[in-house]
């Protein structure tokens, strides 16, 4: 079966294979696949690299950031008790609560609440979707609260939430460890400095590693999280090739020419903006990343009356072009989509601009699916139902 080559201007998306890895990462994974290794030793080596990159006391590589969430929550429930780890989720009983601001109860491809509750813990939602106050958090943290989870992401409410340093301070006063889901963040040190006890990153997002998760934080909590490999998290096993690749990706990240990459992304944004400037009913504006990652995206606003397609329809038309161009459509119902330059391969910036111009010209001929016009997000479950070739 021939696999479709797509152009990814949506960001690092699990459904598109996340990221493209560097040769150094491929080589590190390949070397490891040709040999045996004592996994604990490899993870101990990962811990050293993670500590150097993040300032943490300890760390290990998990299968994904999502696995990291489950493993670190499981770890705070069991501590270093291996028998307890083998008894999860039952061991958690009725009284293991994980406090999360209601505005952070997001879905990153799966509900974050499920990654927590898989361990037997229960989510304790704090505040309401758009407002969480200090006193609500203080009130929520009680003897049954085993941890508090904080999410840094475009997926969460962007106002009315408690800032991380304050969140950590309140939790510390109550003796509750804070786990930060920073899966998609560039910043590797600040959240620990802000007081987090564990921080989780995806290895396959900005870091450009193989599919993996990075767990970094306080030594005993990291050890307890790692212990879950002999229980609940066996099904989230990470292989030697991923651990080695993730180590290489972390090392590459600390040596990467961040400034040079930023400049080339900015050049792409200007180029797109200029190429699209003549299209009737299309307005573009560059936008900062909502969580402060050092990258910008191009927001493309579609005036449906002038263009003859809604933004959702336009995005769908681009996704059915040859090659398919997958745009960032998280908020497409607002009449715009975004172009993210950070995963472009050579020559693709031009293809993206040319295809947008062509789609604009032929907009009247394209009939969007009813599904997409209603709510583009519905399509994701369809994909999981209808993936297999007939
Ligand atoms: C992507 C993402 C995850 C999941 O990360 P994986 O490593 O793919 O499991 C979790 N939380 C947030 C905020 C994310 O953006």
């Amino acid at each position: 079966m021939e696999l479709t080559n797509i152009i990814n201007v949506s960001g690092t998306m699990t459904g598109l294979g996340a990221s493209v890895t560097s040769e150094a990462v491929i080589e590190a994974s390949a070397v490891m696949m040709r040999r045996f290794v004592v996994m604990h030793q490899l993870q101990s080596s990962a811990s050293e690299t993670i500590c150097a990159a993040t300032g943490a006391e300890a760390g290990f590589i998990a299968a994904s950031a999502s696995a990291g969430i489950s493993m670190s929550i499981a770890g705070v429930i069991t501590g270093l008790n291996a028998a307890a780890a083998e008894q999860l989720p039952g061991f958690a009983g009725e009284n293991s609560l994980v406090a999360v601001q209601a505005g952070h109860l997001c879905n990153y491809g799966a509900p974050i609440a499920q990654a927590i509750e898989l361990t037997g813990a229960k989510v304790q939602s704090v505040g309401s979707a758009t407002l969480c106050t200090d006193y609500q958090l203080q009130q929520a943290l009680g003897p049954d609260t085993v941890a508090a989870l904080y999410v840094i992401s475009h997926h969460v409410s962007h106002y009315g939430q408690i800032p991380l340093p304050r969140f950590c301070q309140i939790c510390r006063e109550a003796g509750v460890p804070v786990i930060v889901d920073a899966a998609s963040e560039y910043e590797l040190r600040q959240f620990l400095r802000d007081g987090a006890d564990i921080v989780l990153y995806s290895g396959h997002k900005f870091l450009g590693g193989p599919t993996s998760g990075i767990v970094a934080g306080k030594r005993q909590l990291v050890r307890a999280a790692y212990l879950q490999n002999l229980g609940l998290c066996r099904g989230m096993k990470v292989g030697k090739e991923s651990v080695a690749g993730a180590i290489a990706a972390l090392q590459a990240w600390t040596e990467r020419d961040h400034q040079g990459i930023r400049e080339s992304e900015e050049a792409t944004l200007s180029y797109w903006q200029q190429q699209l400037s003549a299209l009737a009913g299309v307005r573009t504006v560059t936008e900062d990343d909502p969580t402060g990652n050092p990258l910008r995206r191009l927001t493309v606003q579609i005036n449906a009356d002038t263009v003859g397609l809604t933004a959702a329809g336009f995005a769908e038309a681009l996704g059915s072009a040859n090659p398919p161009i997958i745009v960032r459509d998280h908020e497409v119902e607002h009449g715009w989509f975004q172009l993210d330059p950070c995963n472009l391969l050579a020559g693709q910036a031009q293809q993206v601009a040319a295809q947008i111009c062509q789609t604009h010209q032929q907009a009247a001929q394209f009939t969007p699916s009813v599904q997409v016009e209603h709510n583009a997000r519905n399509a994701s479950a369809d994909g999981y139902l209808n993936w297999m070739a007939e």
Side-chain angles (χ1 to χ4, degrees):
M1 179 177 170
E2 184 109 23
L3 301 179
T4 310
N5 260 316
I6 57 158
I7 295 181
N8 176 16
V9 279
S10 62
T12 46
M13 301 294 157
T14 289
L16 302 179
S19 56
V20 170
T21 58
S22 66
E23 289 306 315
V25 168
I26 293 169
E27 184 54 27
S29 290
V31 164
M32 201 47 72
M33 289 178 88
R34 294 192 187 98
R35 58 168 288 178
F36 292 101
V37 67
V38 178
M39 285 302 286
H40 296 318
Q41 214 174 53
L42 182 62
Q43 288 281 19
S44 176
S45 159
S47 180
E48 287 175 7
T49 306
I50 292 168
C51 293
T54 64
E57 292 173 10
F60 68 89
I61 304 297
S64 62
S66 190
I69 295 171
S70 302
M71 294 178 91
S72 28
I73 304 268
V76 295
I77 297 169
T78 66
L80 298 175
N81 180 343
E86 289 180 2
Q87 286 162 35
L88 288 180
F91 182 83
E94 286 303 304
N95 302 323
S96 299
L97 305 180
V98 176
V100 191
Q101 297 180 91
H104 284 194
L105 287 169
C106 60
N107 183 313
Y108 46 71
I112 197 165
Q114 193 176 30
I116 297 168
E117 295 195 336
L118 199 58
T119 64
K122 296 203 170 44
V123 168
Q124 183 181 19
S125 173
V126 185
S128 48
T130 53
L131 182 66
C132 188
T133 58
D134 291 9
Y135 62 81
Q136 288 167 346
L137 180 61
Q138 280 156 342
Q139 174 69 23
L141 303 177
D144 293 338
T145 312
V146 294
L149 184 72
Y150 193 99
V151 186
I152 300 172
S153 171
H154 66 276
H155 291 298
V156 304
S157 286
H158 279 294
Y159 60 94
Q161 309 300 305
I162 303 174
L164 180 61
R166 180 72 184 132
F167 188 91
C168 292
Q169 189 186 354
I170 292 170
C171 291
R172 198 178 319 113
E173 282 160 11
V176 171
V178 175
I179 297 163
V180 173
D181 172 5
S184 199
E185 300 308 299
Y186 278 58
E187 175 53 61
L188 296 182
R189 292 182 173 268
Q190 189 58 43
F191 313 130
L192 288 168
R193 281 198 203 114
D194 285 344
D197 295 287
I198 285 198
V199 181
L200 309 164
Y201 298 94
S202 286
H204 48 275
K205 290 186 177 172
F206 292 125
L207 288 167
T211 302
S212 53
I214 293 163
V215 179
K218 295 268 167 63
R219 191 176 173 85
Q220 298 302 15
L221 293 178
V222 166
R223 288 178 69 208
Y226 185 72
L227 185 66
Q228 309 307 317
N229 278 306
L230 54 68
L232 195 75
C233 299
R234 171 61 184 231
M236 305 173 192
K237 176 162 69 176
V238 65
K240 61 188 176 183
E241 65 283 3
S242 299
V243 180
I247 293 173
L250 260 177
Q251 284 163 346
W253 183 254
T254 52
E255 294 155 15
R256 186 170 114 131
D257 176 13
H258 289 274
Q259 189 55 33
I261 288 170
R262 182 118 204 239
E263 279 161 20
S264 113
E265 290 175 359
E266 287 294 318
T268 300
L269 294 177
S270 307
Y271 165 77
W272 280 337
Q273 203 156 22
Q274 185 248 323
Q275 292 293 304
L276 307 187
S277 62
L279 303 181
V282 175
R283 278 185 44 198
T284 62
V285 54
T286 53
E287 215 155 301
D288 290 341
D289 179 74
T291 61
N293 286 315
L295 89 128
R296 295 200 299 160
R297 302 186 177 90
L298 192 68
T299 297
V300 181
Q301 297 169 345
I302 302 290
N303 180 327
D305 294 334
T306 312
V307 174
L309 267 182
T310 61
F314 205 104
E316 190 184 27
L318 289 170
S320 53
N322 182 20
I325 292 173
I326 313 298
V327 301
R328 196 171 178 86
D329 65 352
H330 298 68
E331 299 180 58
V332 77
E333 62 267 43
H334 291 147
W336 47 265
F337 56 80
Q338 289 185 315
L339 304 179
D340 183 320
C342 72
N343 289 302
L344 283 174
L345 306 182
Q348 292 183 336
Q350 289 78 5
Q351 280 177 282
V352 170
Q355 186 60 53
I356 290 178
C357 293
Q358 191 179 334
T359 299
H360 182 265
Q361 210 170 30
Q362 300 168 350
Q365 280 117 283
F366 187 81
T367 311
S369 60
V370 174
Q371 186 80 288
V372 158
E373 283 303 295
H374 171 55
N375 177 350
R377 296 282 114 199
N378 286 330
S380 77
D382 282 358
Y384 281 101
L385 290 168
N386 304 318
W387 55 278
M388 213 188 303
E390 286 298 322

